[in-house]
Amino acid sequence: MLRVDVQIFIIIILGTSDCQIIPRIEECGLACSQGIHCKSKPASESDIFNSFCRVAPTTSSATALKSMKLSTVMKCVKGSQCFLHLNVKGTLSLSENIRGLEICYLSLDTQQTSCMNVRFSRKTNQQPLGRKIQVQFNCFEVKAAQHIYVTMKTIPNYCEVKLSQEYYVEDCRNNDVGKHIPSCSGKLDYSVDRAKKVISVNISHFPGDQDYYVRLCHKWFICEDAGALARVKGKESLKSISLQYSQLLPCLCIEGWEAVPDAKRIQLCPFKNDTKALWDNIMYNAATQTLAWEPACPVQVRVSLCRLMKSNYQCVDFQNSSYTIPENHIRYSRVDSHPGLCMKFTTKQGSWIRCPFAHGKFPVWKMRIAGREEQIQVSFTSQTKAQLSVLVCNQMQLSSCESVGTHYSVSLGGSDSTSINIPGEICSSKVCIQAWRTDVDYSVPLQICDIQCALSSRNRDEDENSLKVISLTAIILLLATVLTILGHKFLTVFHRRTHEGRSPAHLMRCSSSTGMKSTQPWH
Ligand SMILES: *[C@@H]1O[C@H](CO)[C@@H](O)[C@H](O)[C@H]1NC(C)=O
Ligand SMILES: *[C@@H]1O[C@H](CO)[C@@H](O)[C@H](O)[C@H]1NC(C)=O
Ligand SMILES: *[C@@H]1O[C@H](CO)[C@@H](O)[C@H](O)[C@H]1NC(C)=O
């Protein structure tokens, strides 16, 4: 037999009586029972008459105030910043003389007083006498753990007709207050000493004698430790601490919390604009020729490799070298450690260029040219092994150089200089010699232009020579006239000697105008 037992579970859901939750309000204000129109205004000096009491004219006036209830409510702005308000609920029965209420509170800690008048409109007269009406007012801002004294009087002020009550606002031990009221987690004031790389933090406004923790952290998804945790003794009157930092970064935050479980943490991240240090994080491995950059903070940035042009200080991107972060890191392999090879970082705020090789700490290669009479000698030195491609080209615009068709390949071993000879016939005033590394992916070409090579200097020399021939001829004619007087024999010998002297003079001029030319570091 199959017996089906149906069991009925009666589940009693007990309301989790979390009396710790403080009711929320969106806006503070005044509310009166239905049918009663009321208005509030801050009590001022003109209300001085209400501070003198008179005898209540009727029993109904003398017993008008029935009850007063006090509680705390919380008003939060944008979900994060919260304030505590005192919620005053009064009950009174209508009596013909009563035009309103005065509610005052006195802070027993600071002796500060604040009063509010609630006026009923004339129409209230049409309400039956003795009707119970409620007045609720919650615009008094109070502080956690504040000790206050609240009084409620009628307007006019009848002697002995008054309700009063002492009240303690919930303190930071209340979970809801502790979590949402800023003063419950202390206040951090900081100052930065950029020279010593120290941030000094003062801690104030947190209740109790608990110790306090302060740390520096880098905010990614969570805030990651950036230094040791500092503990400040709760008993010390001046709660102050100094924290060392290595770099001021946009994601550097100061975090503080009370040394109790689940304490609310306050976080200040005041360096959001200090982005400069982010770009200094470039590393180069000379052995693998790898250039890498890792963002030290979450950042939206476009990274590229570029060639710094000496002519206009523009940094021209290498093709296909551009990446957009967020990515974990950027890595370029096979990069020539040339002083003119740079990294460009572009964000919404602007563009930054960093040239990691500009200070000459890394191996470089050099090109120099020397002119010979009929050819140009190009010599190379390199601190590392390198493969070069060398090209003779005609300079077109600022940065473009058109090949004239001759390519040379050069292998550099490491220490010795290697040279090639390029025939001088290809020379013209716009000619350049360009060389770049072919054994890397990113190489900045070296270029030497305006080569005064043998051919062009000879052309120029020939013009000069013809001038000289003319003047020489004049001198000769003059000499000849003089010498004619001296005699025929002398003339013949002298003429032969000047002619012999011309050739060596020509050679000397040529070699001086095409002498050693030092390398331009880059174009
Ligand atoms: C920290 O407190 C000390 C002593 O009261 C004061 O001299 C200093 O200016 C304060 N520093 C900050 C950042 O508020
Ligand atoms: C950062 O710079 C912006 C614009 O210049 C400015 O409005 C903002 O207040 C600065 N922030 C900080 C934390 O200095
Ligand atoms: C850049 O990338 C494009 C497409 O991937 C490719 O066709 C081109 O050859 C690349 N250029 C260089 C210089 O690597």
Side-chain angles (χ1 to χ4, degrees), residues 30 38 63 75 144 147 254 283 518:
L30 170 74
C38 55
T63 57
K75 182 182 155 187
H147 185 193
I254 307 163
M283 282 152 295
S518 68

Side-chain angles (χ1 to χ4, degrees), residues 268-289:
L268 302 176
C269 307
F271 310 109
K272 293 209 166 88
N273 287 349
D274 287 84
T275 52
K276 267 189 193 155
L278 279 182
W279 325 124
D280 294 336
N281 222 11
I282 302 174
M283 282 152 295
Y284 182 68
N285 183 334
T288 60
Q289 298 182 322

Side-chain angles (χ1 to χ4, degrees), residues 87-156:
N87 186 40
V88 185
K89 240 184 205 174
T91 309
L92 79 161
S93 60
L94 269 186
S95 117
E96 52 209 339
N97 307 302
I98 291 173
R99 299 190 303 275
L101 286 177
E102 185 195 68
I103 306 165
C104 290
Y105 94 95
L106 166 72
S107 167
L108 292 172
D109 312 315
T110 62
Q111 299 300 309
Q112 208 180 348
T113 314
S114 180
C115 293
M116 184 59 65
N117 284 347
V118 178
R119 299 275 182 171
F120 303 132
S121 73
R122 292 241 167 81
K123 283 188 194 151
T124 309
N125 294 341
Q126 295 157 13
Q127 297 285 329
L129 287 180
R131 183 193 155 183
K132 288 230 170 66
I133 58 173
Q134 286 207 324
V135 175
Q136 185 179 359
F137 179 75
N138 55 20
C139 285
F140 290 131
E141 205 180 306
V142 289
K143 297 194 176 82
Q146 200 175 4
H147 185 193
I148 50 185
Y149 185 75
V150 182
T151 56
M152 186 184 272
K153 294 179 199 167
T154 53
I155 298 173

